[in-house]
Amino acid sequence: MEEELSQIIEECRTAVEDPEYPAVHQWLEANPDGKVLGHFQVYFPEEIAHAAGMLPLKMMGFDSSVQIREADAHIAAFVCSILRTSLEQALSGRLDFLSMYVTHPICDAARHLTGVWTRRFPEMNCQILYLPQNATSPHAPTYLLGEYRRIAGIVEEITGAPISDESLRTSIEIFNENRRLLRELYRIKRETPWQIGLTDSYLLMAAAGAMPRERHNELLEVALPLIRARDNRPQDKLRIVFEGGYCEQPPIEMLSVLQDVAYVVDDDFMIGLRWLTEDVSTSGDPMQNLAVAYLEASSYSPVQRDPRKPKEDMLQERIRESGAEAAIVAAPKMCEPALEEQVAYDDALTAAGLPHLIMEFEEKTTNFEQARMEIETFAESLLFEFA
């Protein structure tokens, strides 16, 4: 049982950590005429690409295994690491398989990213998906539906395959199943976090954006019962929520430090993969259903303005529902949205009397001694207080 689970986690690790994208190349070998759509964080309706036969690939940046050699000549060195490593991947030729690239105006740097990619890669179709800035506007659903249909039209031109309602419904069903399995994985993290470590649960989740969803569904269908069947014993660890991993991702080594010290019972890592919190309906107009789900059945993030989902309140709700005792509010270096939100989160958690630790991280960090000392000191002081 453990050997089978280890093999699944290793396949996920390779898909997530290998900068040569082995899962993508494996898919292209099986689909010689296949096209790949790469999309930047945070959320993209991957069902649209999938319905046309494309492989959607979530661009998540890389750690120190990818050295910045050319990207700084095309984009400022003081922007966040994920923008630079993604561009470096393309400049180094590792992303030559991309037929289309989509980014979002989630920050000033990401907004200008398409211009850089368009000038440097004229053969690649580079687009911006303009998600509505005001989710509560009465015009937001109609506007977003128009944006989805615009992107769908470009996808159809690239693939030569029409996106029918039936093909889109089939894709929605596959992605609904994937989100259901991810919710089950996070249920295990909340209820029995000792059954799986943070690094393994992260790899099982993040692999969804790096391989075909059908394959990821197969892996989770096998892995989740194996995790639940484990006979691990709980340890005396602090239960925490990690906030700040919605775009650039912390290095795996930092997650390893976290799991040594505490149980991370909930987080916003790669939140775009779990952005839709309910199944998308397959009745009626499936494209419209996707647009409505983004606005009405979705999570929260600093990159979306929705007065119905005040982020400070939503974080406190996440802490309560997961049974966490504290939170780590982190931000990637040079990330303006996350650093700005840290101030609001800090004020709200302080006012609510919820223990929390403010941190920064960078995907290319190689030394974690300082982070370990901060996290251990924070956790141990609370464990003594709660004892």
Side-chain angles (χ1 to χ4, degrees):
M1 183 177 70
E2 283 299 317
E3 182 178 354
E4 185 176 14
L5 182 58
S6 295
Q7 290 173 352
I8 292 172
I9 293 172
E10 190 57 34
E11 181 175 343
C12 291
R13 181 186 300 276
T14 301
V16 171
E17 293 191 322
D18 192 332
E20 301 300 330
Y21 298 95
V24 175
H25 287 289
Q26 186 177 2
W27 182 84
L28 287 170
E29 289 174 6
N31 302 272
D33 297 324
K35 308 290 185 182
V36 183
L37 181 151
H39 60 94
F40 193 67
Q41 307 273 23
V42 171
Y43 173 76
F44 178 80
E46 295 177 302
E47 293 91 335
I48 294 174
H50 185 274
M54 295 188 88
L55 175 65
L57 175 68
K58 196 170 186 64
M59 310 300 298
M60 58 185 81
F62 279 93
D63 59 16
S64 57
S65 62
V66 174
Q67 297 296 318
I68 303 294
R69 293 188 172 90
E70 300 182 56
D72 286 351
H74 300 272
I75 194 168
F78 53 77
V79 302
C80 62
S81 181
I82 186 174
L83 286 172
R84 297 163 62 216
T85 54
S86 297
L87 179 59
E88 184 68 32
Q89 285 279 288
L91 292 169
S92 67
R94 293 188 180 98
L95 296 176
D96 285 351
F97 51 73
L98 288 184
S99 298
M100 184 174 177
Y101 179 77
V102 182
T103 187
H104 317 279
I106 58 174
C107 64
D108 287 340
R111 181 181 293 111
H112 295 292
L113 193 60
T114 296
V116 176
W117 282 64
T118 299
R119 289 193 299 272
R120 188 60 184 82
F121 311 107
E123 72 285 353
M124 189 186 303
N125 195 309
C126 301
Q127 296 290 325
I128 297 178
L129 172 60
Y130 292 96
L131 298 167
Q133 292 299 306
N134 183 1
T136 58
S137 167
H139 306 289
T142 302
Y143 165 79
L144 184 56
L145 178 59
E147 273 294 280
Y148 281 5
R149 285 178 173 160
R150 178 180 68 84
I151 293 294
I154 298 170
V155 167
E156 289 176 326
E157 290 178 7
I158 291 173
T159 62
I163 300 175
S164 66
D165 284 354
E166 193 56 39
S167 66
L168 187 53
R169 289 189 185 102
T170 299
S171 296
I172 288 174
E173 289 175 351
I174 292 171
F175 282 76
N176 277 345
E177 176 65 9
N178 189 251
R179 287 185 285 265
R180 183 192 68 78
L181 291 167
L182 289 175
R183 288 196 295 269
E184 179 63 22
L185 174 62
Y186 271 72
R187 187 175 297 112
I188 293 173
K189 286 181 55 170
R190 288 192 299 272
E191 295 175 354
T192 54
W194 50 88
Q195 294 288 53
I196 183 165
L198 176 59
T199 57
D200 287 350
S201 65
Y202 175 84
L203 292 169
L204 286 171
M205 175 274 297
M211 63 172 60
R213 277 308 197 286
E214 294 87 342
R215 176 57 180 164
H216 191 246
N217 286 350
E218 292 173 357
L219 293 177
L220 289 186
E221 287 280 8
V222 176
L224 295 180
L226 295 177
I227 296 169
R228 284 205 176 277
R230 279 174 158 174
D231 192 27
N232 295 348
R233 294 184 177 182
Q235 297 178 326
D236 186 20
K237 289 184 177 181
L238 189 70
R239 293 172 60 95
I240 66 169
V241 163
F242 186 99
E243 187 81 10
Y246 59 89
C247 185
E248 184 173 325
Q249 300 299 289
I252 289 291
E253 292 83 355
M254 180 176 173
L255 302 187
S256 181
V257 170
L258 278 169
Q259 75 177 7
D260 288 345
V261 178
Y263 289 132
V264 178
V265 293
D266 207 349
D267 57 68
D268 65 344
F269 298 137
M270 304 280 286
I271 193 62
L273 297 174
R274 300 171 285 122
W275 181 257
L276 304 185
T277 56
E278 301 174 5
D279 284 353
V280 179
S281 173
T282 53
S283 61
D285 183 343
M287 193 79 73
Q288 185 174 29
N289 294 342
L290 279 172
V292 170
Y294 173 82
L295 296 167
E296 303 297 335
S298 55
S299 185
Y300 68 96
S301 169
V303 300
Q304 185 199 51
R305 178 185 178 275
D306 190 339
R308 299 169 300 178
K309 299 183 292 185
K311 293 176 286 294
E312 298 87 347
D313 293 345
M314 297 296 287
L315 174 55
Q316 292 180 56
E317 182 178 331
R318 174 173 282 173
I319 293 170
R320 288 192 299 269
E321 291 185 350
S322 63
E325 299 159 300
I328 290 180
V329 180
K333 293 182 178 179
M334 307 294 182
C335 178
E336 291 184 7
L339 290 168
E340 182 178 349
E341 288 302 322
Q342 268 191 335
V343 178
Y345 284 141
D346 184 26
D347 289 346
L349 294 177
T350 299
L354 290 170
H356 58 284
L357 174 66
I358 301 294
M359 296 187 68
E360 284 189 359
F361 66 86
E362 187 177 23
E363 63 181 10
K364 300 183 73 60
T365 300
T366 56
N367 189 317
F368 300 94
E369 290 308 311
Q370 178 68 27
R372 178 178 291 277
M373 183 177 66
E374 290 181 18
I375 297 168
E376 286 182 346
T377 302
F378 174 67
E380 289 174 2
S381 66
L382 289 179
L383 286 174
F384 281 125
E385 180 181 331
F386 295 154

